[in-house]
């Protein structure tokens, strides 16, 4: 990890806290999954935290964010309330999507967080369209769209990037290349594996970055976001990363070696960043201890909130199909 | 009643689009060849020149991409009219329409509505053969979350778009290629049409002919012929294929005690099946004869004129079917 | 009768695939994660190891592409089994399935048949929420040129694939995710099953319950409960959703004079609508009561268990509906 | 036009004849369209003849060919009988697709000519699949797939090329870049317009060639086909060309200048090639005169054949939906 000037101690601490929150929150979620408090599919982001953290910290509140079904971390980074996320995963009506969505469909319109999209690549065209609206309405905000490297094989990737470039709209496509799409390794998904080069096919500027290194992601994301914001043009940022856990809770991980996973864990973004901060005296052990205490409390609070949440009455089943019958 | 003007179906559609573009800056028309080409069927001819490239956008061949972009733009404050040149290409964006447009409101727990309007030209009648003659209203009308309209008359061609654009939820509008050159009289000040109700196009007491789209005209013609034979048929234009206005057709059947359902879509699992099933459930004891259906022959549409004609119900088929029900 | 063995639905499916791969070199299985991952639901686990990469092919996320490739391979002499992981992704290749697979024979004037088999897992029951719980049998069953099968029993899981692969035309097979772990007894030598006929799963004289897929089990259970109340229900498993075996259900209705139609797909324009309409047309005078339907609630499926359960017909709903028909 | 050694006089004459046949055949078709002998959509290839001629002359009879709706020339180059093509456009049962397909759906299985595909880009995945089958069955033949530059914006282009490259299958993708997709100019279809570079995104070797120059096309095609055949890998060949006529018979050509068309007509491939042959003494005026006479006769024969053709009886409408009821 290279030295980077200009990181304020407070910001450094916040970023570390954020990554730790993502990690602990998801560890807790996994535990709650085995206790059957959380059901459906649960996709953990553990190992990839530097990406969401590094990208989202560069954004303004008015920027739009679209994520996949592996979006707890993005929602947290965006400031969606941890309790509302947990309640959503419980299926309680206090959840950020009223419990209707679950883990794969976190939404928070006030925070400009647009999901939670579980059809792989299906949100890319929407991202282009949101950026188009921003341009037309001269809003000045940008759209950031996260997706996996597997998603880039879908036709919608091709269409969405071409449209974004033709229309010159301010959208940042963030490809989270964690080397696997479920059990399908990158080399089986793509005939050409330097994904950032795919930008050239659309005349879209692009870059790849080590997604395990928060500072590097921040640097690359800052550059990308500045460019998108100043030029109004799209950008493709490929973050090379790794998921430490199974694809979802239904995954025997037959497709990769334990050793490979262990190798990548050595590059865990969180200890990496923590060591850096300690080394640079941007934080001390005591502060970290305090932080861990705060974290424990925040997560407990989220769980308590979810536990205390209520079930939507069955009579309301037909709500939210059309706006007019959706009054809450 | 106001002055009447003679207008083609094409002109009526265009007047509706023109008005929408004039009245609301957030409205824009996007689709393949809507601009420079003048619209595949000349519906939008001249609008690019009148409103400029930002309001009338030609898009590349990428139906999933640009329909998705339209959905996205609607999330971010615009009011897009997305034209899918014909329904024949409407399966390509169907995932966008179903999993995004129709689902977002629900899975976000009522937070995010999708006010997009998608127009598709459809139907048979130009010898365009198997891949270009589809009547897929039933496929879209199966999907909760969508409002599905069928433009069977010139007044509706003129006015439905206005109301569709005011709707907070996604509206799919089916227009009929073979009706474009047809002239009819509409009030000079025709405008917004309700988009929730079916309409009795002709009152009658002996039988209810329930139909939509091109079927309306064929059924009206058939009703005139039947009148010559002393049979007084009521003709109902469903107009809204989802959600169905069952009150209208049930009341009619309760009055006439008989029904013939007419549509051009393939004959099984179509709109008529649903209407028949609802009559069965809700007006069974009012029936004097079983409800019959005349649907499209279940074959990909053949190119030669005589076979194309044979593949959908014609006026004489309707006349004969009615006679058979009434005078078995 | 031969010896019976206990087998899960998953094992039955797998045995069918294994046999097909063993018996015919032209057969291969392709789909996302069918190989290294072992199949999203472990149906094809071990087959890659047994048959090698050429016979069990992992493909990238690109449903339109690989389904189209499967269609192409079938044109050129292979017998592909294409797995679309779940029907939820089945709209992406729908253009390929409808405009190519289902249409080619016709538009080539009978020259070119398309012997492809496409398997999709479907249905509700794992709290997977709005984008991952679809029951889209009606959408595919609307399309002429396709053979559409619904695998409601373990025997069919074991044997339908064999017959589907012998069919010269495209066959779509719907399998039910929520049945995978269910055990049942089938003959040890179970094999090829006819794929043209519906089946009476339980004989009865008071009412015909007509259903398919998971509905078969729920209806059988309901029939047992009804028997305790002295009601003798016949249960019909449609099995083949296109072309429908109407003879089977019409005969049943002529015998019982009453029918309840049960399915999990959204409640309008679905298979039950069609069955009801056909009974109306062809057995009206044999009815002692109007045919009723129990379909899925028309709502994108919500995540929480109680709402998910409430969104499709349950055993008690079937029991109550039958009682209401028989003892109004 | 540069000198090319090794062109035999007989072959030169054949190629000229072929291009002239395409031209005259289509001119005749346009005339017959205005006489309403041919209906539906009619897309002329006039101006682009060097592409189909140059590519297809390099192929072996066992190679598979897939075309678009603009495929008369490809069918002729493939040796599909001109009479059978004309009869098809008339809708007569003596047509190469029995009259069911019309101009957009020419098929000839014996000649390995697989359409006639009218969903833009829908045939690309099939082409990849056919090549996959060839590889699996070790047939040694290759697949050649023609499509327009507009088609390359569709997601299926992306998916089909990625799959072809991943699987290393022998398919030649021929992009006929005639600068327009209906009325949408290349620069509005693609954000990056050097289409051959799109091959890089998939690791597919590619080249662009002047598609108005038969000798150049032959050279490039020979290289491409040899490579595909010898390596078994895919290849992307972009032929830069121009259509002299309207997109279809329904096109007012509002989107381009007459002057631009006239400019391109100066590069008409047919006179260009004829002058070259004359200059090189590979043909003389007398031979050309004879050729024109032969052409006139062949076309007259085709028209006579079509005129004499018969209509398929209406009772046969339901044929060719499934193989079993398609016996002729
Ligand atoms: C269109 C579609 N096809 C298949 C799936 C099933 N699926 C869910 S996630 C996934 C892998 C996606 O991989 P990637 O895009 O790399 O994202 P990651 O999960 O690695 O973050 C698959 C195949 C889906 N949800 N959507
Ligand atoms: C999926 C799809 N969308 C739209 C159309 C309507 N359409 C037919 S041809 C065409 C233009 C295709 O352009 P290109 O691929 O460049 O081929 P060209 O016609 O120039 O040969 C369009 C938009 C279609 N047939 N299919
Ligand atoms: Mg991945
Ligand atoms: Mg073109």
């Amino acid at each position: 990890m290279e030295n980077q000037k200009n990181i304020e101690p407070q910001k450094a601490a916040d970023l570390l806290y954020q990554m730790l929150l993502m990690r602990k929150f998801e560890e807790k979620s996994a535990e709650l999954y085995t206790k059957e408090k959380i059901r459906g599919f649960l996709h953990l982001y553990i190992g990839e935290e530097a990406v969401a953290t590094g990208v989202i910290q560069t954004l303004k509140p008015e920027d739009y964010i679209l994520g996949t079904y592996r979006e707890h971390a993005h929602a947290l980074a965006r400031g969606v309330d941890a309790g509302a996320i947990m309640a959503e995963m419980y299926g309680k009506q206090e959840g950020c999507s009223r419990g209707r969505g679950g883990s794969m469909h976190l939404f928070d319109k006030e925070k400009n967080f647009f999901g939670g999209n579980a059809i792989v690549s299906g949100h890319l065209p929407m991202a282009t369209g949101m950026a188009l609206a921003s341009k037309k309405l001269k809003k000045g905000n940008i759209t950031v769209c996260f997706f996996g490297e597997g998603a880039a094989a879908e036709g919608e990737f091709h269409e969405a990037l071409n449209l974004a470039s033709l229309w010159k709209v301010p959208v940042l496509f963030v490809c989270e290349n964690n080397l696997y799409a479920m059990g399908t390794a990158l080399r089986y998904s793509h005939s050409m594996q330097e994904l950032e080069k795919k930008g050239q096919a659309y005349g879209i500027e692009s870059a790849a970055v080590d997604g395990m290194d928060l500072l590097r992601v921040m640097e690359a994301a800052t550059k990308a976001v500045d460019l998108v914001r100043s030029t109004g043009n799209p950008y493709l940022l490929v973050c090379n990363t790794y998921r430490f856990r199974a694809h979802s809770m239904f995954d025997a991980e037959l497709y990769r070696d334990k050793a490979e996973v262990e190798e990548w864990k050595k590059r865990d973004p969180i200890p990496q960043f923590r060591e850096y901060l300690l080394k640079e005296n941007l934080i001390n052990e005591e502060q970290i201890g305090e932080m861990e205490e705060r974290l424990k409390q925040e997560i407990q609070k989220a769980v308590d909130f979810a536990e205390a949440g209520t079930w939507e009455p069955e009579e309301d089943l037909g709500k939210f199909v059309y706006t007019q019958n959706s009054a809450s | 009643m106001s002055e009447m003007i003679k207008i083609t179906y094409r002109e009526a559609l265009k007047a509706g689009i023109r008005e929408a573009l004039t009245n609301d800056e957030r409205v824009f028309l996007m689709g393949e060849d809507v601009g420079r080409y003048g619209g595949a069927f000349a519906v939008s001819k001249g609008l690019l020149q009148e409103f400029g490239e930002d309001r009338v956008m030609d898009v590349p061949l990428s139906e999933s991409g640009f329909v998705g972009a339209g959905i996205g733009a609607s999330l971010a404050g615009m009011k897009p009219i997305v034209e899918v040149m014909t329904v024949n290409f409407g399966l390509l964006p169907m995932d966008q329409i179903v999993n995004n447009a129709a689902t977002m409101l629900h899975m976000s727990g009522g937070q995010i509505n999708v006010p997009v309007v998608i127009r598709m030209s459809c139907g048979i009648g130009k010898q365009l053969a198997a891949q270009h003659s589809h009547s897929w209203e039933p496929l879209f009308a199966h999907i909760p979350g969508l409002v599905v309209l069928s433009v069977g008359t010139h007044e509706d061609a003129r006015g439905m778009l206005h109301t569709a654009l005011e709707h907070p939820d996604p509206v799919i509008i089916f227009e009929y290629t073979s009706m474009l050159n047809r002239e009819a009289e509409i009030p000079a000040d025709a405008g917004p049409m309700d988009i929730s109700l079916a309409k009795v196009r002709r009152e009658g007491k002996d039988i209810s002919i329930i139909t939509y789209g091109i079927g309306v005209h064929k059924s009206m013609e058939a009703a005139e012929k039947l009148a010559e034979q002393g049979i007084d048929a009521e003709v109902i234009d469903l107009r809204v294929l989802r959600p169905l206005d069952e009150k209208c057709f049930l009341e009619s059947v309760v009055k006439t005690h008989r029904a013939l359902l007419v549509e051009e879509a393939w004959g099984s699992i179509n709109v008529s099946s649903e209407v028949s099933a609802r009559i069965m459930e809700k007006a069974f004891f009012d029936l004097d004869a079983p409800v019959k259906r005349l649907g499209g022959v279940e074959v990909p549409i053949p190119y030669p004129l005589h076979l194309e004609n044979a593949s959908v119900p014609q006026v004489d088929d309707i006349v004969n079917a009615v006679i058979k029900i009434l005078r078995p």
Side-chain angles (χ1 to χ4, degrees), chain A, chain B:
Chain A
M1 187 166 296
E2 267 182 32
N3 205 331
Q4 174 178 349
K5 300 281 144 41
N6 304 337
I7 186 156
E8 300 284 323
Q10 184 55 47
K11 178 158 189 195
D14 287 351
L15 290 169
L16 181 60
Y17 183 84
Q18 192 163 98
M19 291 206 290
L20 282 166
L21 177 62
M22 292 168 179
R23 179 70 54 96
K24 301 286 174 201
F25 184 90
E26 287 203 324
E27 284 170 354
K28 189 69 185 178
S29 302
E31 183 191 320
L32 291 165
Y33 195 90
T34 61
K35 289 188 181 152
E36 306 198 2
K37 294 285 189 180
I38 298 174
R39 298 278 70 200
F41 282 145
L42 180 72
H43 305 89
L44 303 180
Y45 196 64
I46 290 176
E48 310 184 32
E49 292 91 343
V51 178
T53 306
V55 173
I56 294 176
Q57 61 89 32
T58 66
L59 302 181
K60 299 188 180 167
E62 64 268 27
D63 295 333
Y64 300 136
I65 299 178
L66 295 93
T68 69
Y69 43 87
R70 194 184 300 288
E71 86 288 29
H72 311 134
H74 308 74
L76 288 168
R78 186 42 154 191
V80 181
D81 179 68
I85 300 174
M86 191 58 87
E88 186 59 36
M89 298 204 283
Y90 269 64
K92 301 288 182 76
Q93 55 183 331
E94 291 76 10
C96 61
S97 306
R98 231 169 214 280
R100 295 269 169 153
S103 158
M104 299 202 288
H105 303 301
L106 305 178
F107 286 88
D108 189 335
K109 196 178 179 184
E110 267 187 31
K111 293 274 197 298
N112 284 314
F113 190 77
F114 288 84
N117 295 284
I119 303 297
V120 170
S121 219
H123 57 312
L124 274 70
M126 290 199 296
T128 295
M130 295 182 78
L132 176 68
S134 291
K135 180 177 180 178
K136 284 184 183 294
L137 295 168
K138 301 194 172 54
K139 288 197 182 177
N141 63 345
I142 75 169
T143 298
V144 179
C145 179
F146 293 90
F147 58 97
E149 88 296 338
E154 293 276 8
E156 284 175 319
F157 169 86
H158 180 69
E159 297 184 5
L161 269 71
N162 186 40
L163 291 175
S165 182
L166 272 170
W167 295 341
K168 301 188 187 311
V169 295
V171 52
L172 172 61
F173 293 104
V174 181
C175 179
E176 306 179 315
N177 174 19
N178 62 8
L179 295 179
Y180 290 91
M182 286 189 61
T184 301
L186 175 61
R187 67 183 174 286
Y188 301 116
S189 279
H190 291 281
S191 50
M192 193 284 290
Q193 288 129 39
E194 291 151 286
L195 300 176
E196 65 282 7
K197 290 203 182 153
K198 292 197 183 274
Q200 292 166 12
Y202 314 101
I204 290 185
E205 207 164 321
S206 61
V209 65
D210 176 358
M212 306 305 273
D213 182 335
L214 178 64
L215 294 180
R216 289 232 177 273
V217 174
M218 282 168 60
E219 198 182 340
T222 303
K223 189 184 149 204
V225 166
D226 286 352
L227 215 72
V228 172
R229 216 183 285 286
S230 61
T231 64
N233 285 336
Y235 192 99
L236 172 63
L237 179 63
V238 177
C239 301
N240 293 312
T241 180
Y242 199 81
R243 75 170 147 70
F244 295 167
R245 297 292 188 107
H247 166 74
S248 73
M249 304 302 278
F250 297 125
D251 173 6
E253 291 188 72
L254 304 171
Y255 49 85
R256 64 180 184 184
D257 269 358
K258 285 241 153 47
E260 178 185 297
V261 182
E262 292 312 314
E263 204 51 45
W264 275 91
K265 279 189 179 166
K266 293 184 188 153
R267 299 177 51 200
D268 190 328
I270 298 180
Q272 206 183 145
F273 186 60
R274 188 182 45 217
E275 295 321 309
Y276 168 80
L277 296 188
L278 286 168
K279 204 185 82 204
E280 300 287 321
N281 288 321
L282 288 161
I283 205 164
N284 62 36
E285 291 289 358
E286 195 190 322
Q287 287 168 311
I288 291 178
E290 267 166 36
M291 194 179 276
E292 274 167 0
E293 196 45 45
R294 251 202 303 146
L295 271 171
K296 215 181 270 170
Q297 283 170 21
E298 179 163 2
I299 284 165
Q300 192 53 49
K301 213 179 102 203
V303 175
D304 292 345
F305 180 78
E307 286 283 345
T310 55
W311 301 113
E312 206 172 359
E314 206 179 291
E315 312 86 78
D316 286 358
L317 175 59
K319 273 190 178 178
F320 315 128
V321 183
Y322 296 98
T323 303
Q324 66 186 35
N325 61 356
S326 301
S328 47
Chain B
M1 198 157 181
S2 86
E3 195 202 339
M4 300 297 280
I5 52 164
K6 218 175 193 172
I7 190 169
T8 62
Y9 185 87
R10 175 186 289 108
E11 288 159 354
L13 289 171
K14 183 175 172 171
I17 300 170
R18 213 179 149 272
E19 183 185 68
L21 287 166
T22 306
N23 289 351
D24 189 340
E25 288 255 305
R26 294 168 306 166
V27 171
F28 66 104
L29 174 68
M30 70 175 351
E32 288 162 17
D33 294 304
V34 295
R36 294 169 188 88
Y37 192 92
F41 305 108
V43 168
S44 50
K45 197 165 150 183
L47 296 179
L48 169 68
Q49 288 71 22
E50 187 173 350
F51 294 96
E53 285 190 17
D54 280 351
R55 311 290 306 287
V56 178
M57 293 176 66
D58 281 326
V59 299
L61 279 147
S62 48
E63 286 79 4
S64 194
F66 71 78
V67 170
I71 295 167
S74 85
L75 299 181
M78 295 298 291
K79 292 205 160 272
I81 306 171
V82 185
E83 175 177 309
V84 175
M85 189 184 285
T86 73
V87 76
N88 306 292
F89 323 131
L91 297 182
L92 292 165
M94 197 163 174
D95 178 72
Q96 286 293 333
I97 295 173
V98 179
N99 270 320
N100 288 341
T103 307
M104 182 90 53
L105 178 71
H106 183 268
M107 68 187 180
S108 69
Q111 286 177 82
I112 297 176
N113 64 309
V114 185
V116 70
V117 173
I118 301 172
R119 298 168 46 235
M120 309 196 208
S121 191
C122 70
I124 198 175
K126 297 274 183 193
Q127 288 190 245
L128 300 183
Q131 291 183 328
H132 274 68
S133 304
H134 293 296
S135 296
W136 282 337
E137 295 93 329
L139 295 180
F140 291 89
H142 177 63
I143 309 298
L146 299 180
V147 172
V148 180
L149 307 179
S150 167
V151 182
T153 64
H154 289 58
E155 291 94 317
D156 281 348
R158 177 66 184 78
M160 272 182 157
L161 178 67
H162 180 104
T163 324
L165 283 164
E166 286 178 343
H167 204 289
D169 301 314
V171 180
I172 313 290
I173 305 183
F174 287 107
E175 303 164 358
Y176 296 86
T177 317
S178 70
M179 285 172 63
L180 288 168
N181 293 329
R182 199 185 282 251
E183 283 196 325
E185 297 215 320
I186 64 169
D189 62 353
M193 299 298 289
D194 122 278
I195 56 167
S196 65
L197 300 173
K199 279 204 180 144
V200 178
R201 295 287 179 202
R202 182 189 195 282
E203 294 201 19
K205 60 180 192 335
D206 296 332
I207 187 167
S208 307
I209 305 180
I210 303 168
T211 184
Y212 65 90
I214 303 178
V216 176
H217 300 274
K218 291 186 176 170
S219 299
M220 291 296 279
E221 228 181 284
E224 294 311 315
K225 289 199 183 185
L226 287 163
E228 291 164 20
Q229 304 195 33
I231 294 173
D232 185 20
E234 179 145 310
V235 177
I236 291 181
D237 176 1
L238 290 169
R239 298 178 72 244
V240 193
L241 306 182
R242 172 167 290 265
L244 276 175
D245 174 17
E246 67 177 29
K247 185 163 167 285
C248 174
F249 66 77
L250 291 174
E251 278 173 8
S252 175
V253 172
V254 167
K255 178 176 83 175
T256 65
H257 311 297
R258 290 173 180 84
L260 174 69
L261 319 181
V262 177
E263 79 181 297
E264 301 211 338
W266 287 317
S268 294
I269 312 189
N270 57 13
V271 177
S272 301
S273 327
E274 181 61 26
V275 172
S276 177
R278 295 212 192 170
I279 295 173
M280 167 75 92
E281 283 162 349
K282 297 176 181 168
F284 181 76
F285 297 105
D286 294 291
L287 288 176
D288 283 350
V291 173
K292 297 280 176 184
R293 293 176 297 162
L294 277 181
V297 178
E298 300 195 82
V299 59
I301 306 300
Y303 163 67
L305 184 62
H306 66 298
L307 295 182
E308 183 186 44
N309 282 338
S311 67
V312 293
Q314 302 297 348
V315 174
D316 285 344
D317 301 323
I318 301 172
V319 169
N320 294 335
V322 167
I323 292 174
K324 219 165 143 194
I325 295 172
L326 280 159
R327 301 169 184 162

